[in-house]
Amino acid sequence: MVEPILTVEGLKTHFMLREGMLKAVDGISFSLAPDEVLCIVGESGSGKSVTAQSILRLIDPPGHIVDGHIRYRDKDLLALSEREMEKIRGDRIGMIFQDPMTSLNPVFTIGEQIAEGLREHLDLGKKQAQDRAVELLRSVGIPHPEERYKDYPHHFSGGMRQRVLIAAAIACEPDILIADEPTTALDVTIQAQILKLLADVQRRLNSALILITHDLGVVASMADRVLVMYAGEMVEYGDVKTIFEQPKHPYTIGLMNSVIRLDDERDDELRSIPGTPLVPINPPPGCAFRSRCEAALAACATEKSRAHSVADGHLVSCHLIPRSGDNDS
Amino acid sequence: MLRFIAGRLVLTIPVLFGVSVIVFLLAHLAPGDVTTILAGPFATEVVKEKLRISFGLDQALPVQYIKWLGHILQGDFGTSIANRRDVADLVFPKFVNTAILALSSALLAYIIGFFAGIFAAARPYSFSDRIVMGVTLMLGNAPPYWLGLLIVLLISLNWRLLPATGMTNIMGGGGAWDVFLHLIQPMLTTAAAPACIVARIVRASMLEILSQNYVRVARAKGIRRSLILRRHALRNALPPIVTICGLQLGYLLGGVLFVEVIFAWPGIGNQLWQAIQARDIPTIQGATLVIALAFVVVNLAVDAINAYLDPKIRASERAGAS
Amino acid sequence: MSKLKFKRLLGAVAIAGSLAFAGGAATEVKAEGGTFVWGMSSEMSILDPHVACGWLTTNAIHSIFEGLVMLDLSDPDAKSAPLKPAIAKSWEVNEDGTVYTFAIRENVRFHDGTAVDADVVKWNYDRFMDSGAEHAFDQAQAYLGYYTRWIKSVEVTGPMSVKITLNETNYEWLQMGVVACGMPMIASPTAIQEMGNEQFALTPVGTGPFKFIEREQNIKLVMDRNEDYWGENAKIERLIFQPLPDQATRLNAIRAGEVSMIMEAPWEELENLKNEGFTVTINENIPSIWLLFFNHKNPIMQDVRVRKAINMAIDRDAIADGILKGTGRPEMGMLSPGTYAYKPGYAPVKYDPEGAKALLAEAGYPDGLDLDFDIYEYGYNEVWEKSIQRDLKKVGVNAKLNKIEWITYMGKFLKGMPEELHMNEIGWGWTIPFWTQVMTRCDYHPPNGFNVGWYCNPEVDKLFDEAVKQKDKAKAAALYQQANDIIIGQDFGYAVKFTYKNPLVLSPSVKHFVNPPANWYDFSIIELE
Amino acid sequence: MRFHLRILKLAWYAYAKDNAALGALIFLAIIVLISLLAPLISPYDPAAAVADIAAQPGSEGVILGADVDGRDILSRLFWGGRIALLVGIAPTVAATLFSLVLGLAAGYIGGWFDQIVMRIVDVVFAFPLVLLAIVIAGVLEPGVWTVILAISIALMPYIARLVRTTTMNVKQQPYVEAARAGGAGGLAIVLRYILPNMIPPVLIFATTLIGLMMVVGSGLSFLGLGIQPPDADWGIMVAEGRGVLRKAPHITIFPGVVIVLVALSFNFIGDGLRDALDPRRRSR
């Protein structure tokens, strides 16, 4: 196997709220090959976005990364200084957020907002950065990029803004692109265009992509590997074929069933699993999913299952699933 | 931009008209017959009546108002009853003194407020944030006249560091340095409350902006934190801050009265206070009118700056111009 | 006109702007004699002596101007101030006290260089008494009426000689010209003709020991020593009156060494100031008393027993010591201190609440009565009026205090009390006992005078008529005291309360300051160390 | 009804969690109680001299010392609370009620009525608040009602603007449109839909203003334009003490500290209310 470009180990990101400790991400591990597409799926509030932001260390108080390692190439990102981290962000790892309407600064032109990152990382002059930004705008499919360079965000539609944001994220040709539900806020017709653009960009740059989504259709069409999250924890992790064809964890099985049953409405939210998701504030011991799990064991109430390998590259956290004979690879 | 300002100016005219009506009517709320002061205690009714006629006090209110307004528009603010000189001569130099105090206080308040606010916003909910915000809240709620007394007690009376009264050394001073020494204490007193209010609004606006998605995007782009604070956050937080700063400057114009009284600063507030005590109606009218005018101008300036800062207005102007 | 105003405004802005560049170019010229700064409790009025009133203004007027005669205020031990020659180097009064002949001093010049002669004196008298004169000033004529009503004619009898003839004998008349409201002083005709009445009042020109330099309204009035003064030059180089209306500011200013003298320091602070090295001077012979007028048109107040009872019910010691902390002295007579007729310690009745109660019962008010009492809102008077209200309460009198803003009050006061009102108040006095006449004579009922309580006793008026005809001051004083004993001791026509000794605080560097039996001071004798 | 109750409960829950606001509320409750009970609990008559002039704090009998007339400062603080709170609360309440009616009417009726009302408001708005209050109080006879009137007038435009803006916003909400389409009358819409939406912002604003107005009111008294001596008021107490600032600073300092604390409390309560009533800010 190729050397992974990014490795996340035992990542824990917690939020100290007045109501108690929100364990938004509680022990996530995965690795990413240089040209791989990883999809992180799960319901709202399962910790997908926090995981993505943790990688770039964009977590603000009261949130805090309390444990774990994030390794990019040979660097431990959690050990870097803020200044060193700023050099990674946008340059080596780019990120796209879910709400293009609020992700652009209303008081600067869109061109400025693309050129800004270029000047920060590539040490380009004003003119060079501007030329490059126009090129980028063209590459993400903005018509008349020279003229639109000087426009303010309020002149742009949501889909166009997301294109601008993608242009900004890929400006420095990063090794890793993180897209946090990039299409959620967009019209259905635009969604496909944006996803296609993302796929094109990923292929063109030959970069790794972490795509956060709850749309299993997207997962099926784009992912190499899939990470399923529930209440801040990883419940299952494996290649896309395995997850879709041989899901092991009851939650993943539920997800897959819901997709199959509602095949023609796959962009709908995943709400066919009975019960409501657990909000992991001061969570009780044991498995977070057990209250919604039909097959819960006594052990599920007292002890979390550790992620264990059931096949090569396929990890599951569930007491129901016996460990495979071998250790994790 | 120009169109916007022109529009605002047009809107200001009825406001100014209303202001003049209120200022005029204020005089007629006041009890007492001004002719008694003018003519002295020995004056006969005949002399008083003559005076009343010469002041136009025998005419109907609307007539008096129109005449008064006509004079005001020609720069004639009437004659002070207590001092028997042109109110304009009394009020304008005093207004300049007040402007010196108010502007320097505002500047000080903005600088302190900005730095304290950004300092606190850059480390929200930390210990230093709480301390800074706690102090500003205390100072912001302290009555200025009380604060001034404490300052003068400490600096002038106990430490004997700075002069306690006036604007220049009355025994023969003058010059910028002398004025500056006299300015320090009133300036500190005046600046305290607005500095705190500015600090709080700067902090709140910055935090509001720092939690915006586009700031997160900028961070994800790897923009340096200092640059984010300066470029993205401050630039967006500016409109409410400018509004508050402008309002504070306006309030300073009215609120320096307490400070001017305590420090005997020869400003328009002090003049107004003495005019109130002497029931010197023309001076009260003149001083009030000048302060209200200044307030209106400051508000206009704030609107103009905010319009300039708003890309939508700027862009639409550009589109309209091309 | 408007252009001019605008230019002035621009000028002011430019000055303010240039301050920033002036950079420590302070021009502090320490002339010999030094600068004396008086921190005053309020701004003065205009400085035209013929239409000016109020004792702060008087202080400035008496420094800049002189009349034919002036009061000699240099004797610290004087009980009442004697006259001294000024513009007139001497004067003669004829046998029946109706013709005054003045010899005008040679070599007296106004600050603008104009020389003083008999014509100048006549010109000034015409200004405030001859309504037919070209330069007559009707406001001045109103102000000075109390003085000019006695005058039959003013004649120039030589280049340096003026003869003034009175309607009737009056030996007090000369001193009536040195009271504090509307002063018959000699102003520069050249200046008045050049500037006009309005401007002259702002930039006055006189002959006094100090000349007007500049005045910034509510900031300062600056006067410099008149180097060409006919008499002995003032010791100090510069005299500044600085209005500091706020009491605490005045205190701060003198403590910080920014002024040389302040008035109206808090009574509680006087002791501390002394300990800090400041001089506190008290005006023992101040010609001023605080009194209540009884309304003699009101049925209740017409009963002498009620008036006497109120006189007995007021605890004057409590005000003088308790409230004023020794800066007041109880008084009962209508002759004010500082005049030659003053009788110290005059007290026909004593503080006696029980006796007062009994008297009221006798008058038909065993269960007490309600009285309406107008007071004005100015300074501290409410503090002692409240104290009197409490005193009256003790004898069953419910006094309702109607507090009225000063100007409104003056308007109402001068009209005389309406029948339903029972009492009102004033604090006042002149350096001559004639003031008592103005307050009590039958023919001085409003609008002709200040007898606002409508008191009238022809017997008293007869004594007064005699008094002004006495050349001998001792005889005049005796007549006044006799009248006073009727007004108070017999009729209890007024309730006099106390005299307020108006303490001043002087910085340690001030020497030879005299607190005279008057309401104003001679600044030319002060020295600074 | 049940729905409203739950919102209130939730709001209180969030509110009570805010320690500063809760502390401020308790502190204010104590101040109000003390002021109300002043006649019963004051150690001395606030107008009577009971100790040495300017007696230091801790002198016999007078815990906080005595003022320049030997009156007990503690008792005067108790009594002064009545006026200070009245001067803070009464104008704010009066201006709020008046502005509610005016702003609602202007915002709801709109058109020329709105234009006229708002132009008048603009005119009053063109004066700095403190200045307007001083001038109005200055030309009228001084006294507690003058202060209340002066501050009420000066305060009115601020609240009226807020009320009108909120009215305009709510008026355009779909559910109001729906109610109107459903035949609800103007008054019903105002009372049922607009007024309830008005309460949170106005309540928050007014609470914060009370503290400020207390400072302004005491300032008027300080200048001699408000409550007249010998009545006790915190502003007057500061004013009376400044003559002896050097020797007896406690006379000036104590009432000033009380003003700051009470004004601060209203601020905290306003902040607490905002957090409680505005779910968006609750987590902060």
Side-chain angles (χ1 to χ4, degrees):
Chain A
M1 205 175 172
V2 243
E3 187 70 12
I5 194 164
L6 181 79
T7 316
V8 174
E9 271 172 44
L11 176 70
K12 292 187 178 180
T13 304
H14 295 175
F15 287 73
M16 283 140 229
L17 302 181
R18 278 200 288 218
E19 290 79 2
M21 182 75 84
L22 171 70
K23 297 184 174 176
V25 174
D26 202 31
I28 296 287
S29 305
F30 63 86
S31 62
L32 192 67
D35 55 356
E36 182 180 342
V37 177
L38 170 71
C39 282
I40 302 180
V41 294
E43 291 161 304
S44 308
S46 61
K48 305 180 302 273
S49 296
V50 175
T51 304
Q53 289 172 29
S54 297
I55 293 170
L56 278 181
R57 282 180 38 193
L58 293 176
I59 303 297
D60 285 326
H64 200 63
I65 299 173
V66 294
D67 199 8
H69 296 282
I70 301 171
R71 207 175 309 281
Y72 163 75
R73 293 192 192 270
D74 55 345
K75 286 186 179 124
D76 182 355
L77 295 188
L78 297 185
L80 295 183
S81 72
E82 183 62 23
R83 189 73 201 92
E84 287 167 320
M85 192 63 215
E86 280 163 358
K87 286 186 178 140
I88 303 264
R89 290 186 199 130
D91 188 36
R92 296 331 318 145
I93 307 177
M95 187 156 174
I96 300 151
F97 293 89
Q98 54 178 304
D99 186 2
M101 299 310 286
T102 59
S103 290
L104 283 167
N105 193 329
V107 300
F108 297 119
T109 64
I110 56 147
E112 284 172 326
Q113 297 189 54
I114 294 171
E116 181 181 44
L118 289 166
R119 300 183 62 186
E120 182 79 34
H121 294 297
L122 303 183
D123 209 17
L124 295 182
K126 200 169 179 176
K127 185 74 184 68
Q128 287 169 295
Q130 185 168 340
D131 293 344
R132 177 98 179 84
V134 170
E135 263 334 290
L136 280 161
L137 283 173
R138 195 190 314 281
S139 77
V140 294
I142 305 275
H144 315 297
E146 291 88 356
E147 289 154 36
R148 308 233 62 180
Y149 181 94
K150 289 202 175 75
D151 279 350
Y152 284 94
H154 66 267
H155 295 121
F156 279 65
S157 71
M160 293 299 248
R161 289 190 198 196
Q162 195 61 296
R163 284 175 192 270
V164 170
L165 285 159
I166 290 172
I170 62 170
C172 302
E173 303 187 342
D175 295 335
I176 305 169
L177 202 53
I178 302 174
D180 183 359
E181 306 199 29
T183 58
T184 313
L186 301 176
D187 287 350
V188 183
T189 48
I190 311 290
Q191 288 185 0
Q193 297 174 13
I194 295 295
L195 283 171
K196 182 169 177 302
L197 174 64
L198 262 182
D200 289 350
V201 162
Q202 187 256 338
R203 237 169 282 135
R204 197 167 71 223
L205 299 179
N206 202 20
S207 65
L209 171 68
I210 298 175
L211 179 64
I212 293 169
T213 181
H214 49 237
D215 185 337
L216 291 181
V218 172
V219 177
S221 66
M222 287 184 73
D224 296 320
R225 284 212 270 182
V226 179
L227 179 95
V228 184
M229 287 185 73
Y230 184 80
E233 291 169 27
M234 185 190 91
V235 295
E236 197 159 356
Y237 175 50
D239 63 57
V240 63
K241 210 172 162 204
T242 315
I243 297 291
F244 271 79
E245 289 172 7
Q246 298 164 342
K248 293 285 188 210
H249 196 282
Y251 176 70
T252 320
I253 295 169
L255 271 185
M256 293 307 154
N257 287 343
S258 72
V259 175
I260 289 157
R261 255 190 283 130
L262 301 168
D263 210 13
D264 47 350
E265 288 178 39
R266 42 183 60 168
D267 52 78
D268 211 332
E269 289 227 9
L270 304 171
R271 55 174 116 84
S272 50
I273 302 170
T276 47
L278 175 88
V279 178
I281 295 177
N282 297 333
C287 176
F289 186 63
R290 71 170 191 282
S291 61
R292 298 168 79 186
C293 179
E294 290 165 5
L297 302 170
C300 297
T302 55
E303 202 189 332
K304 283 187 199 299
S305 167
R306 292 194 46 205
H308 51 274
S309 175
V310 289
D312 190 25
H314 185 186
L315 294 151
V316 178
S317 311
C318 183
H319 287 302
L320 291 167
I321 314 300
R323 289 164 177 272
S324 71
D326 311 314
N327 278 338
D328 307 1
S329 56
Chain B
M1 207 50 221
L2 278 175
R3 242 186 351 178
F4 176 84
I5 294 174
R8 274 298 144 96
L9 275 175
V10 170
L11 278 182
T12 305
I13 290 170
V15 170
L16 289 179
F17 174 74
V19 166
S20 73
V21 172
I22 290 188
V23 168
F24 175 76
L25 287 179
L26 274 176
H28 295 270
L29 278 175
D33 180 1
V34 294
T35 53
T36 309
I37 333 173
L38 277 172
F42 300 98
T44 57
E45 271 306 309
V46 180
V47 172
K48 285 193 196 172
E49 191 54 38
K50 255 194 195 165
L51 270 171
R52 255 179 234 125
I53 291 167
S54 76
F55 273 78
L57 294 172
D58 55 327
Q59 286 160 319
L61 270 190
V63 178
Q64 286 190 41
Y65 169 71
I66 288 168
K67 286 194 168 167
W68 177 78
L69 188 63
H71 286 139
I72 295 283
L73 290 177
Q74 292 171 41
D76 176 7
F77 282 57
T79 305
S80 156
I81 289 172
N83 301 314
R84 313 280 172 89
R85 53 171 55 182
D86 280 356
V87 171
D89 289 351
L90 276 180
V91 163
F92 285 124
K94 301 287 163 53
F95 180 73
V96 173
N97 293 347
T98 294
I100 292 174
L101 175 58
L103 288 176
S104 55
S105 303
L107 199 66
L108 183 70
Y110 297 162
I111 293 170
I112 295 176
F114 253 77
F115 279 101
I118 291 173
F119 173 87
R123 37 186 82 62
Y125 308 105
S126 67
F127 183 69
S128 43
D129 171 33
R130 307 246 168 199
I131 292 285
V132 169
M133 285 300 113
V135 169
T136 60
L137 203 53
M138 287 287 254
L139 284 178
N141 277 293
Y145 54 85
W146 181 71
L147 201 62
L149 289 177
L150 295 193
I151 287 177
V152 89
L153 172 67
L154 222 58
I155 298 181
S156 272
L157 297 185
N158 281 357
W159 299 337
R160 297 185 168 272
L161 288 179
L162 289 170
T165 57
M167 185 168 165
T168 51
N169 183 352
I170 199 143
M171 298 202 190
W177 180 244
D178 191 28
V179 172
F180 177 71
L181 287 182
H182 283 80
L183 182 63
I184 295 174
Q185 290 187 91
M187 184 171 68
L188 284 176
T189 313
T190 316
C196 300
I197 291 165
V198 170
R200 296 183 70 74
I201 196 79
V202 166
R203 178 183 178 274
S205 309
M206 290 288 281
L207 281 185
E208 178 90 36
I209 299 300
L210 285 175
S211 73
Q212 294 293 320
N213 276 335
Y214 54 78
V215 168
R216 209 173 45 182
V217 170
R219 284 174 66 195
K221 279 192 278 187
I223 311 298
R224 269 167 291 144
R225 192 164 175 75
S226 56
L227 204 61
I228 287 179
L229 279 176
R230 253 197 342 260
R231 246 172 84 82
H232 289 262
L234 202 54
R235 179 63 182 69
N236 279 283
L238 227 41
I241 296 173
V242 168
T243 305
I244 291 287
C245 283
L247 274 180
Q248 290 311 311
L249 182 56
Y251 293 140
L252 277 182
L253 288 172
V256 285
L257 191 142
F258 294 109
V259 180
E260 289 184 354
V261 166
I262 287 175
F263 291 98
W265 185 264
I268 200 165
N270 207 342
Q271 178 75 52
L272 178 63
W273 184 57
Q274 296 193 29
I276 284 174
Q277 289 193 319
R279 304 263 150 189
D280 184 351
I281 297 298
T283 310
I284 295 177
Q285 286 177 323
T288 311
L289 200 62
V290 168
I291 299 175
L293 275 178
F295 193 57
V296 169
V297 170
V298 168
N299 283 344
L300 262 176
V302 169
D303 281 350
I305 293 174
N306 271 341
Y308 174 76
L309 288 175
D310 187 340
K312 286 185 191 168
I313 292 183
R314 238 190 320 176
S316 73
E317 287 282 333
R318 203 180 54 191
S322 62
Chain C
M1 188 66 193
S2 72
K3 246 182 202 163
L4 186 70
K5 292 277 159 54
F6 184 66
K7 261 189 186 164
R8 270 184 218 157
L9 176 60
L10 275 186
V13 173
I15 289 165
S18 67
L19 275 179
F21 304 100
T27 48
E28 196 168 333
V29 186
K30 272 269 175 184
E32 201 176 331
T35 302
F36 181 94
V37 184
W38 179 8
M40 292 180 153
S41 63
S42 71
E43 174 59 295
M44 291 151 287
S45 177
I46 51 168
L47 300 177
D48 181 335
H50 303 160
V51 289
C53 224
W55 72 278
L56 294 177
T57 316
T58 307
N59 270 289
I61 301 243
H62 277 248
S63 300
I64 299 171
F65 292 95
E66 292 169 302
L68 291 170
V69 295
M70 298 285 280
L71 287 182
D72 183 354
L73 304 177
S74 61
D75 179 3
D77 301 320
K79 294 275 183 246
S80 70
L83 288 172
K84 68 173 181 187
I87 300 278
K89 66 180 176 200
S90 64
W91 63 93
E92 278 170 17
V93 188
N94 73 342
E95 202 44 50
D96 68 350
T98 52
V99 179
Y100 288 69
T101 311
F102 298 91
I104 308 301
R105 194 182 295 275
E106 317 275 338
N107 301 325
V108 178
R109 288 188 178 275
F110 288 106
H111 304 146
D112 63 359
T114 310
V116 178
D117 59 16
D119 287 332
V120 165
V121 173
K122 165 80 169 144
W123 189 92
N124 271 276
Y125 274 74
D126 286 349
R127 184 180 189 235
F128 56 74
M129 67 174 286
D130 180 6
S131 46
E134 201 183 319
H135 59 285
F137 189 19
D138 52 359
Q139 270 188 53
Q141 295 184 5
Y143 268 86
L144 274 153
Y146 72 96
Y147 172 79
T148 55
R149 74 206 289 172
W150 299 92
I151 300 178
K152 193 180 185 178
S153 67
V154 179
E155 295 160 74
V156 176
T157 51
M160 287 306 197
S161 167
V162 173
K163 187 173 91 178
I164 296 179
T165 311
L166 302 188
N167 298 315
E168 52 187 291
T169 306
N170 186 341
Y171 283 100
E172 269 189 81
W173 173 78
L174 206 48
Q175 274 198 306
M176 286 165 73
V178 280
V179 296
C181 199
M183 289 158 270
M185 295 189 157
I186 307 304
S188 165
T190 336
I192 292 176
Q193 278 162 341
E194 271 175 16
M195 305 180 203
N197 289 334
E198 273 180 38
Q199 184 58 36
F200 180 77
L202 304 176
T203 50
V205 178
T207 59
F210 293 95
K211 59 185 178 195
F212 174 89
I213 297 296
E214 62 163 331
R215 182 173 189 189
E216 281 181 77
Q217 214 71 43
N218 292 19
I219 301 177
K220 62 183 174 183
L221 165 66
V222 181
M223 294 162 280
D224 273 1
R225 176 166 61 203
N226 176 8
E227 302 289 355
D228 306 318
Y229 188 53
W230 58 264
E232 197 179 331
N233 277 359
K235 307 283 190 300
I236 50 171
E237 163 73 16
R238 176 166 274 198
L239 178 63
I240 297 177
F241 291 173
Q242 183 184 21
L244 291 172
D246 187 75
Q247 191 187 49
T249 310
R250 284 197 300 278
L251 262 183
N252 293 342
I254 194 155
R255 282 199 162 118
E258 291 159 21
V259 298
S260 323
M261 175 170 98
I262 60 166
M263 53 189 285
E264 284 178 27
W267 303 310
E268 298 78 14
E269 276 283 281
L270 296 177
E271 210 48 48
N272 296 317
L273 288 161
K274 273 185 208 161
N275 294 338
E276 290 166 34
F278 294 97
T279 311
V280 176
T281 156
I282 280 175
N283 198 339
E284 287 292 345
N285 301 307
I286 190 165
S288 169
I289 47 177
W290 290 81
L291 69 150
L292 300 180
F293 285 86
F294 295 136
N295 186 0
H296 293 266
K297 275 188 182 169
N298 182 281
I300 297 177
M301 303 312 291
Q302 277 166 356
D303 189 331
V304 66
R305 289 169 297 192
V306 174
R307 304 197 300 261
K308 187 175 179 187
I310 291 173
N311 260 299
M312 288 160 72
I314 297 172
D315 187 353
R316 294 170 172 83
D317 286 323
I319 299 173
D321 297 335
I323 293 174
L324 301 176
K325 319 287 182 217
T327 63
R329 181 175 61 232
E331 297 286 350
M332 277 189 87
M334 277 299 280
L335 295 166
S336 91
T339 67
Y340 64 84
Y342 173 63
K343 187 174 178 186
Y346 175 78
V349 289
K350 288 201 163 51
Y351 171 58
D352 179 7
E354 288 309 311
K357 231 174 181 169
L359 260 178
L360 284 174
E362 199 188 309
Y365 308 104
D367 305 321
L369 73 166
D370 296 329
L371 295 180
D372 268 344
F373 183 3
D374 274 2
I375 68 168
Y376 55 82
E377 176 196 310
Y378 195 91
Y380 313 97
N381 60 319
E382 196 181 351
V383 181
W384 52 69
E385 301 309 356
K386 282 257 163 89
S387 167
I388 289 172
Q389 191 183 32
R390 287 194 291 271
D391 290 343
L392 294 178
K393 185 91 191 157
K394 282 180 203 151
V395 301
V397 175
N398 293 311
K400 191 177 142 240
L401 300 185
N402 311 315
K403 201 169 67 169
I404 303 173
E405 176 275 320
W406 167 241
I407 289 161
T408 316
Y409 182 89
M410 274 314 284
K412 188 176 177 190
F413 177 84
L414 293 171
K415 287 193 180 94
M417 273 189 267
E419 195 180 313
E420 67 278 6
L421 188 65
H422 301 99
M423 295 183 279
N424 63 14
E425 62 159 353
I426 196 94
W428 200 7
W430 284 352
T431 46
I432 45 169
F434 194 85
W435 176 80
T436 310
Q437 300 201 27
V438 175
M439 294 288 127
T440 59
R441 287 180 69 104
C442 302
D443 51 354
Y444 275 71
H445 286 173
N448 301 320
F450 298 96
N451 188 355
V452 300
W454 317 105
Y455 172 80
C456 181
N457 188 335
E459 206 185 325
V460 169
D461 291 1
K462 249 182 249 162
L463 289 167
F464 283 149
D465 290 341
E466 276 307 305
V468 294
K469 293 195 172 88
Q470 299 308 312
K471 206 171 182 178
D472 181 352
K473 288 278 179 267
K475 277 186 188 160
L479 286 164
Y480 269 116
Q481 286 173 8
Q482 209 180 327
N484 178 51
D485 208 31
I486 297 172
I487 301 167
I488 300 296
Q490 176 196 311
D491 291 344
F492 293 96
Y494 302 76
V496 180
K497 299 174 284 191
F498 59 88
T499 182
Y500 176 51
K501 297 188 275 191
N502 196 18
L504 296 170
V505 181
L506 297 161
S507 87
S509 62
V510 178
K511 301 291 164 199
H512 303 301
F513 178 85
V514 173
N515 207 335
N519 276 322
W520 57 92
Y521 317 111
D522 186 345
F523 290 98
S524 68
I525 58 173
I526 294 173
E527 284 179 51
L528 288 171
E529 258 179 16
Chain D
M1 201 56 221
R2 276 180 54 107
F3 173 73
H4 280 290
L5 215 64
R6 216 178 66 193
I7 291 230
L8 275 180
K9 258 182 164 169
L10 257 176
W12 169 252
Y13 177 70
Y15 179 84
K17 287 200 132 187
D18 196 329
N19 295 338
L22 192 63
L25 192 67
I26 294 171
F27 175 74
L28 260 186
I30 294 172
I31 294 284
V32 169
L33 202 67
I34 286 176
S35 303
L36 289 177
L37 295 179
L40 300 176
I41 58 171
S42 291
Y44 302 102
D45 176 353
V50 295
D52 289 344
I53 285 163
Q56 293 295 321
S59 308
E60 77 251 55
V62 284
I63 301 164
L64 296 183
D67 71 2
V68 289
D69 287 329
R71 298 172 295 194
D72 179 34
I73 289 180
L74 186 67
S75 304
R76 286 178 70 73
L77 281 178
F78 286 0
W79 282 85
R82 304 180 135 211
I83 291 172
L85 289 172
L86 182 70
V87 162
I89 294 170
T92 315
V93 171
T96 304
L97 291 180
F98 184 70
S99 306
L100 258 180
V101 174
L102 204 66
L104 274 173
Y108 189 78
I109 297 171
W112 60 268
F113 183 77
D114 178 42
Q115 283 299 316
I116 289 177
V117 169
M118 289 333 281
R119 290 298 81 76
I120 293 174
V121 165
D122 281 349
V123 168
V124 183
F125 203 77
F127 294 90
L129 190 151
V130 179
L131 170 87
L132 190 59
I134 287 173
V135 173
I136 294 174
V139 293
L140 296 175
E141 300 276 341
V144 66
W145 294 109
T146 298
V147 171
I148 290 174
L149 179 75
I151 299 180
S152 300
I153 293 173
L155 196 53
M156 188 271 295
Y158 294 82
I159 307 174
R161 276 196 173 180
L162 175 70
V163 171
R164 176 180 171 272
T165 316
T166 317
T167 308
M168 301 287 264
N169 286 343
V170 178
K171 203 170 88 174
Q172 284 153 10
Q173 294 296 315
Y175 58 87
V176 176
E177 304 270 340
R180 193 176 307 137
L187 192 66
I189 286 177
V190 167
L191 290 182
R192 290 237 308 277
Y193 298 98
I194 298 181
L195 196 60
N197 273 297
M198 194 70 62
I199 289 176
V202 171
L203 197 63
I204 293 164
F205 190 48
T207 312
T208 321
L209 281 177
I210 290 177
L212 197 63
M213 292 311 109
M214 220 187 61
V215 173
V216 173
S218 67
L220 293 183
S221 295
F222 175 87
L223 289 178
L225 303 174
I227 289 81
Q228 297 297 301
D231 284 357
D233 166 84
W234 295 339
I236 283 191
M237 291 174 72
V238 172
E240 286 173 343
R242 80 210 142 114
V244 291
L245 192 57
R246 192 121 178 265
K247 178 188 150 204
H250 66 276
I251 302 174
T252 303
I253 288 175
F254 285 135
V257 168
V258 173
I259 295 175
V260 175
L261 288 180
V262 173
L264 207 57
S265 300
F266 279 109
N267 250 310
F268 278 138
I269 291 174
D271 285 354
L273 275 175
R274 175 168 319 163
D275 285 353
L277 294 172
D278 185 351
R280 218 161 46 83
R281 291 180 183 244
R282 207 168 289 167
S283 59
R284 286 212 202 148

